[in-house]
């Protein structure tokens, strides 16, 4: 890790819970953002009651909202959340990328 610009930290620690969470979302290209962001977009089977956008404060991640996503989904809401680029399951910027 000595020559790693991130001090050995390149990704969140994988646990059973974060592994289950990772399959609920995907990496997506956001306009004007170089690293891809991990986005969770849960949609109910029936037309949604509304849409809730959950934005984590730094350094939190979408995983922080896992119980809220579940609860709102059970009530018929479409729920979206993301990990800011460089955090959580989003891509990490490469050294020299200017990010």
């Amino acid at each position: 890790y000595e020559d790693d610009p991130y001090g050995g930290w390149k990704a969140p620690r994988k646990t059973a819970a974060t592994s289950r969470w990772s399959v609920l979302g995907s990496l997506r290209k956001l306009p004007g953002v170089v690293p891809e962001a991990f986005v969770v977009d849960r949609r109910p089977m029936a037309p949604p009651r509304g849409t809730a956008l959950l934005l984590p404060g730094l350094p939190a991640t979408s995983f922080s909202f896992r119980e809220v996503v579940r609860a709102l989904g059970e009530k018929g809401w479409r729920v979206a959340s993301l990990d800011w680029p460089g955090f959580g399951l989003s891509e990490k910027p490469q050294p020299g990328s200017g990010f």
Side-chain angles (χ1 to χ4, degrees):
Y1 292 121
E2 292 170 3
D3 42 341
D4 179 1
Y6 297 104
W9 186 86
K10 291 186 178 180
R13 181 174 297 150
K14 287 288 186 171
T15 65
T18 58
S19 292
R20 285 190 303 273
W21 183 251
S22 69
V23 300
L24 296 178
S26 62
L27 287 174
R28 300 202 188 155
K29 179 72 178 141
L30 301 177
V33 178
V34 176
E36 290 187 333
F38 178 77
V39 176
V40 173
D41 186 357
R42 307 300 296 162
R43 299 168 189 241
M45 298 297 271
R49 296 177 63 179
T51 299
L53 176 60
L54 307 175
L55 299 174
L58 296 178
T61 67
S62 61
F63 183 74
S64 304
F65 294 122
R66 64 193 176 281
E67 294 301 324
V68 177
V69 169
R70 182 193 53 77
L72 288 173
E74 289 174 358
K75 298 289 185 187
W77 286 78
R78 176 183 178 188
V79 185
S81 187
L82 62 82
D83 290 346
W84 298 107
F87 291 87
L89 297 171
S90 289
E91 285 186 336
K92 309 308 177 252
Q94 296 300 311
S97 67
F99 188 82

